[in-house]
Amino acid sequence: MTDIITAQATAAASGAAATEQFRNKQRQEAAAADTGRVDALVTELLTSAHDIIRRHGLTYAEYDALKAWLIRVGEDGEWPLFLDVWVEHVVEEVANENREGTKGTIEGPYYVPDAPALPAEAALPMREDEAGTALLFQGQVTGVDGTPLPAAKVEIWQADDEGYYSQFAPNLPEWNLRGTVIADETGHFKIHTIQPAPYQIPTDGACGSLIQAAGWHPWRPAHLHLKVSAPGHRLITTQLYFRGGEYVTDDIASAVKPELILDPTPVADGTGHEVTYDFALDKA
Ligand code: MBD
Ligand code: FE
């Protein structure tokens, strides 16, 4: 993916990698052509800002603090993080409001396309001594009518036991805990991985400063990220959470939905947990 070397676990290092990753994505180019929509959206956004300034009597000190902070968001490469944590959940809500199948939620800043292809039963790429409780994540991909979808694709990416994502934190193998699992002829998959840790927004960058200044907490609950797709069907981008886990009811990114909470159970031989979650895809 990126030639930015994330030598340190800093906000600026992960921000630079996330910014570079976003630049590789082409989705934004069609939108800029529609003058009327740009006019309406930006005018309303600015009008809302003007209204907030009047209602709260914004001071010059606050205006300058805002300016300084916005400059720092860019310097730290934290626009992808800021937008995905505090804005994307509403974009997702609008984009998926008419879907019938599995609920979607935000993609976030740490997806990398083209993770290594893996067979229907596989372990995610991980270090030999990968820390964390083993997790067997299995299920079936079907249409909304229950029809099994052969050779469905289950792209999965997740943080490790310390809450770090490969390619966005230092000293991790390139594809650690990332894979593209090809389900079998009945849409079934069986993924051997580890339980991810909750994710802490970097505290040393602009987003961390905002969180501290506003008296918020910097955490997302532990989660698995997924993109599930099959020929003739709509790809779903979603995340799965763990019932009872820290921050499940208080996600800084507002991205938890009740339908997306897993109930893993201990495996009989004591080697970890297992959980089954089935995906239903809408027709394209
Ligand atoms: C994450 O891991 C994440 O999923 C989101 C949405 C934002 C920041 C970090
Ligand atoms: Fe995440």
Side-chain angles (χ1 to χ4, degrees):
M1 68 130 211
T2 166
D3 47 8
I4 304 228
I5 295 155
T6 52
Q8 289 177 290
T10 61
S14 70
T19 298
E20 179 63 15
Q21 187 55 233
F22 176 73
R23 286 196 174 120
N24 295 332
K25 195 163 165 177
Q26 295 306 319
R27 207 164 53 179
Q28 64 270 22
E29 302 211 332
D34 192 337
T35 310
R37 252 177 99 78
V38 174
D39 175 27
L41 292 169
V42 178
T43 299
E44 279 192 45
L45 182 66
L46 291 172
T47 302
S48 298
H50 302 156
D51 189 48
I52 292 165
I53 292 165
R54 288 192 188 98
R55 280 193 291 111
H56 292 269
L58 191 86
T59 66
Y60 258 103
E62 288 166 336
Y63 178 63
D64 284 348
L66 171 64
K67 242 189 202 176
W69 181 80
L70 289 167
I71 290 165
R72 192 142 85 85
V73 176
E75 287 171 348
D76 290 344
E78 283 199 327
W79 280 116
L81 180 66
F82 173 80
L83 290 165
D84 294 350
V85 168
W86 285 294
V87 180
E88 190 189 354
H89 68 99
V90 187
V91 179
E92 187 279 328
E93 174 190 313
V94 170
N96 287 334
E97 67 187 343
N98 295 319
R99 290 185 77 130
E100 286 176 19
T102 302
K103 294 285 182 200
T105 191
I106 64 177
E107 176 174 319
Y110 301 144
Y111 170 65
V112 183
D114 304 318
L118 301 167
E121 176 164 9
L124 292 186
M126 66 177 84
R127 292 161 286 184
E128 227 160 85
D129 57 349
E130 191 71 42
T133 307
L135 177 69
L136 173 59
F137 170 62
Q138 59 193 331
Q140 185 184 24
V141 184
T142 69
V144 289
D145 60 357
T147 312
L149 297 178
K153 218 164 76 174
V154 180
E155 293 181 85
I156 179 167
W157 70 104
Q158 63 169 94
D160 67 12
D161 186 54
E162 293 187 284
Y164 291 119
Y165 285 89
S166 58
Q167 303 190 35
F168 299 89
N171 307 319
L172 289 167
E174 187 177 19
W175 296 104
N176 209 241
L177 300 175
R178 297 175 179 273
T180 302
V181 175
I182 311 300
D184 68 15
E185 58 288 345
T186 57
H188 284 93
F189 61 89
K190 228 175 199 190
I191 300 169
H192 299 265
T193 182
I194 56 110
Q195 164 78 34
Y199 177 83
Q200 183 179 30
I201 306 286
T203 53
D204 62 320
C207 291
S209 298
L210 168 63
I211 286 165
Q212 198 182 22
W216 303 336
H217 77 251
W219 293 95
R220 297 212 61 225
H223 55 278
L224 303 172
H225 287 272
L226 296 136
K227 283 181 184 280
V228 181
S229 58
H233 291 75
R234 283 177 73 182
L235 178 150
I236 189 78
T237 299
T238 194
Q239 299 181 35
L240 294 170
Y241 304 92
F242 299 88
R243 191 173 312 282
E246 268 190 300
Y247 312 110
V248 166
T249 56
D250 191 20
D251 176 11
I252 185 70
S254 310
V256 178
K257 300 181 185 183
E259 300 88 344
L260 299 176
I261 301 177
L262 299 171
D263 288 292
T265 54
V267 177
D269 66 5
T271 55
H273 293 91
E274 65 182 320
V275 69
T276 299
Y277 192 89
D278 299 326
F279 296 90
L281 299 183
D282 289 65
K283 283 240 161 71

